[in-house]
């Protein structure tokens, strides 16, 4: 074992009281942050000594511990004991089992000001959730911490996600937005959506979650991609000839395991690298060749909207130019590092598998404007500091959200269900 890894292993064993454990498996992996930084972690799977001959690769025994540590800062980012059982000696125990005790331990363990900078809530009898804030305003993405313990007060779950919150010290803006002042912007967030029911598909209007800038100068998406990994293309794809369909889907490796050299040289994650013009052109040609085989009659019907990187693959996002139904078709085509198409996802296949009726069978009786009037009383606008990955800066925004939808056939207003699909 590399001496640097052994040092981390010994440190972990001592920190978490794992004298009755042995290291069963370990691996190095990396994570790309929203600001483009690459962090490296060591994951360790510790098995209790009573399972000395454990060989199952798919499942860990009761009481096993999976622990992640940042190899450069030596910060622990998770410690999970299987099925809430621990054999740790002199491990973390909460005698009082209350939130004040949890806060004190977290302050000491993480070095963060938990009392001042976090909103704390008890989500269950023995589960606590902490979300970072600044001057009483939540952040997105935020540093969130989860802590759980068993009936004996022994810590069985700890997780602290990694964020980019070191650049927020000068945030002093006054929140001035109101639902009245952003009416036109909010109306644009009303979108058609659908979800399956037992007897078919329900088509609805819903409000797409978004962050509206406090200065009203645009908005930021609710879900942001990590790193400098997106390239807008917006090119209609056409061809004159078709190809014999010889395409075969390949298995996509989603893992992010890295070598010791990569980790300690702090090699940037390939997903953080800008997408070059050469890669764009190569991807366009590869996607056209793919469409010539799988969608031979669709020349001129698809637009390649943008490319992004994820897990060392290029993702090509395509959308139909003219939709035969209420919702345009969408494709995601995956290309490997050589620029070859290896797999794809077609939104239509998802709905076909659900065996729901076609959109044409649904009669639209409510307009977008009417839906907005119905939904407006249920909309909420919550102050948030949002990290703008493009400008690498924090921006005060209002989070526009709505937990209700309007059925396009009946005009009925209902609360969203867990199976809601935004299209």
């Amino acid at each position: 074992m590399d001496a640097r890894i052994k040092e981390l292993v010994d440190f972990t064993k001592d920190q978490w009281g794992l004298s009755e454990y042995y290291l069963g498996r370990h691996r190095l992996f990396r994570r790309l942050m929203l600001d483009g930084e690459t962090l490296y972690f060591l994951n360790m799977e510790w098995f209790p000594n009573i399972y000395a001959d454990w060989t199952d690769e798919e499942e860990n025994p009761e009481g096993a511990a999976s622990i992640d540590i940042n190899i450069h800062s030596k910060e622990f980012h998770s410690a999970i004991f299987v099925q809430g059982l621990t054999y740790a000696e002199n491990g973390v125990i909460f005698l009082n089992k209350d939130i004040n005790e949890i806060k004190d331990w977290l302050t000491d363990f993480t070095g963060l000001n938990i009392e001042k900078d976090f909103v704390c809530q008890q989500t269950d009898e023995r589960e606590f959730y902490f979300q970072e804030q600044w001057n009483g305003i939540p952040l997105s993405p935020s540093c969130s911490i989860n802590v759980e313990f068993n009936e004996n007060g022994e810590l069985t779950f700890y997780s602290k996600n990694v964020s980019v919150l070191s650049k927020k010290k000068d945030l002093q803006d006054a929140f001035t937005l109101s639902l009245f002042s952003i009416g036109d912007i909010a109306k644009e967030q009303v979108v058609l959506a659908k979800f399956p029911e037992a007897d078919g598909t329900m088509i609805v209007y819903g409000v797409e979650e978004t962050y509206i800038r406090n200065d009203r100068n645009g908005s930021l998406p609710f879900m942001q991609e990590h790193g400098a990994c997106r390239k807008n293309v917006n090119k209609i794809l056409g061809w004159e000839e078709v190809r014999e369909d010889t395409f075969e889907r390949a298995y996509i490796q989603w893992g992010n395991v890295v070598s010791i050299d990569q980790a300690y040289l702090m090699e940037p994650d390939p997903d953080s690298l800008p997408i070059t013009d050469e890669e764009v052109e190569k991807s366009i040609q590869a996607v056209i060749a793919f469409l010539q085989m799988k969608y031979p009659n669709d020349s001129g019907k698809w637009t390649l909207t943008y490319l992004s990187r994820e897990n060392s693959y290029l993702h090509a996002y395509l959308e139909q130019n003219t939709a035969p139904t209420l919702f345009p078709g969408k494709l995601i085509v995956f290309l490997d590092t050589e620029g070859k198409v290896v797999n794809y996802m077609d939104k239509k296949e998802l709905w076909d598998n659900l065996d729901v009726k076609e959109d044409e069978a649904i009669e639209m009786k409510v307009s977008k404007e009417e839906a907005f009037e119905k939904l407006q009383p249920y909309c909420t606008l919550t102050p948030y500091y949002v990290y703008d990955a493009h400008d690498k800066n924090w921006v005060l925004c209002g989070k526009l959200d709505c937990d209700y939808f309007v059925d396009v056939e009946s005009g009925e207003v209902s609360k969203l269900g867990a199976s809601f699909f935004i299209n």
Side-chain angles (χ1 to χ4, degrees):
M1 180 182 290
D2 183 275
R4 294 165 294 187
I5 299 299
K6 187 177 188 306
E7 180 184 355
L8 292 171
V9 169
D10 292 342
F11 175 63
T12 301
K13 188 170 188 175
D14 179 67
Q15 178 71 47
W16 294 95
L18 303 178
S19 59
E20 295 301 316
Y21 286 75
Y22 68 95
L23 183 63
R25 291 187 287 263
H26 68 282
R27 67 184 179 96
L28 289 162
F29 68 96
R30 62 188 166 203
R31 185 176 300 163
L32 179 62
M33 306 309 298
L34 192 62
D35 62 354
E37 182 183 7
T38 303
L39 301 183
Y40 282 87
F41 299 87
L42 173 66
N43 168 257
M44 296 159 280
E45 294 183 17
W46 295 84
F47 299 153
N49 290 337
I50 59 174
Y51 298 104
D53 299 321
W54 191 264
T55 58
D56 191 337
E57 294 285 337
E58 301 297 326
E59 185 176 353
N60 288 344
E62 286 186 339
S66 178
I67 299 176
D68 292 346
I69 185 173
N70 183 312
I71 68 170
H72 296 290
S73 68
K74 294 186 177 180
E75 293 178 87
F76 289 101
H77 286 270
S78 67
I80 303 168
F81 291 84
V82 175
Q83 296 187 21
L85 177 65
T86 174
Y87 294 95
E89 291 192 350
N90 301 317
V92 181
I93 301 178
F94 303 112
L95 297 177
N96 298 326
K97 305 176 186 177
D98 63 27
I99 195 166
N100 291 322
E101 188 179 20
I102 305 290
K103 287 180 182 179
D104 291 342
W105 176 77
L106 283 175
T107 298
D108 181 63
F109 185 69
T110 66
L112 298 170
N113 191 331
I114 302 298
E115 186 65 43
K116 176 180 181 293
D117 293 338
F118 285 78
V119 175
C120 314
Q121 56 183 324
Q122 187 169 355
T123 56
D124 205 302
E125 182 182 0
R126 298 192 292 269
E127 298 178 9
F128 292 83
Y129 174 76
F130 301 79
Q131 182 179 16
E132 193 164 9
Q133 61 176 356
W134 186 252
N135 294 330
I137 297 177
L139 301 107
S140 178
S142 70
C143 177
S144 60
I145 304 174
N146 291 76
V147 175
E148 298 177 19
F149 51 86
N150 60 23
E151 59 186 5
N152 299 318
E154 300 168 311
L155 185 142
T156 56
F157 185 97
Y158 166 78
S159 176
K160 178 174 82 73
N161 78 337
V162 187
S163 61
V164 289
L165 306 188
S166 60
K167 304 172 184 178
K168 65 179 189 312
K169 294 183 179 179
D170 298 325
L171 303 180
Q172 302 292 339
D173 305 2
F175 186 69
T176 59
L177 293 181
S178 68
L179 285 169
F180 175 78
S181 68
I182 62 163
D184 291 342
I185 303 175
K187 186 183 296 184
E188 291 306 309
Q189 304 309 312
V190 176
V191 296
L192 278 174
K194 63 180 176 179
F195 57 87
E197 292 189 312
D199 58 348
T201 306
M202 177 182 284
I203 304 295
V204 302
Y205 283 108
V207 176
E208 194 166 34
E209 290 175 296
T210 191
Y211 294 108
I212 299 172
R213 290 175 180 265
N214 189 52
D215 59 9
R216 298 175 181 80
N217 187 24
S219 61
L220 293 171
F222 182 67
M223 297 295 291
Q224 297 192 57
E225 297 178 38
H226 290 67
C229 57
R230 174 168 171 155
K231 184 87 166 183
N232 291 329
V233 180
N234 294 318
K235 182 178 177 62
I236 296 175
L237 305 182
W239 55 89
E240 296 181 357
E241 300 179 355
V242 299
R243 296 172 181 254
E244 180 185 356
D245 187 0
T246 59
F247 181 80
E248 293 184 6
R249 279 185 162 111
Y251 177 73
I252 294 181
Q253 300 281 349
W254 292 117
N256 53 2
V257 177
V258 297
S259 69
I260 290 177
D261 288 341
Q262 287 175 307
Y264 281 98
L265 288 173
M266 299 184 71
E267 177 186 283
D269 191 312
D271 289 350
S272 68
L273 301 177
I275 299 171
T276 66
D277 291 340
E278 181 181 356
E279 287 178 306
V280 172
E281 186 56 37
K282 192 173 182 179
S283 298
I284 289 173
Q285 298 307 315
V287 171
I288 289 176
F290 162 78
L291 293 173
Q292 287 174 304
M293 288 187 284
K294 302 303 295 184
Y295 301 82
N297 299 319
D298 284 4
S299 177
K301 296 181 180 180
W302 291 93
T303 293
L304 174 53
T305 55
Y306 68 94
L307 295 168
S308 70
R309 292 194 199 275
E310 186 176 346
N311 290 297
S312 300
Y313 291 92
L314 273 177
H315 295 198
Y317 290 82
L318 287 80
E319 186 168 318
Q320 278 182 314
N321 302 324
T322 56
T325 64
L326 293 175
F327 300 91
K330 293 182 181 180
L331 286 173
I332 305 176
V333 179
F334 305 100
L335 301 96
D336 64 16
T337 55
E338 302 299 320
K340 177 184 176 182
V341 175
V342 293
N343 212 321
Y344 70 101
M345 289 176 56
D346 187 336
K347 186 186 71 174
K348 184 176 182 300
E349 292 181 355
L350 168 65
W351 290 103
D352 287 346
N353 290 336
L354 292 173
D355 192 28
V356 296
K357 64 182 179 181
E358 294 293 334
D359 301 340
E360 296 96 324
I362 294 174
E363 184 179 356
M364 296 279 292
K365 295 182 180 179
V366 180
S367 68
K368 179 176 179 177
E369 289 71 22
E370 291 171 331
F372 177 66
E373 293 298 323
K374 291 174 177 285
L375 292 172
Q376 196 171 19
Y378 301 99
C379 289
T380 59
L381 190 66
T382 308
Y384 263 82
Y385 280 115
V386 183
Y387 189 76
D388 186 340
H390 183 266
D391 293 335
K392 300 189 185 306
N393 198 11
W394 288 93
V395 179
L396 181 60
C397 296
K399 178 187 175 184
L400 178 67
D401 197 5
C402 184
D403 290 336
Y404 290 78
F405 63 82
V406 177
D407 188 314
V408 302
E409 291 186 292
S410 67
E412 180 182 352
V413 178
S414 303
K415 196 162 187 176
L416 293 175
S419 60
F420 188 67
F421 282 79
I422 288 288
N423 283 262

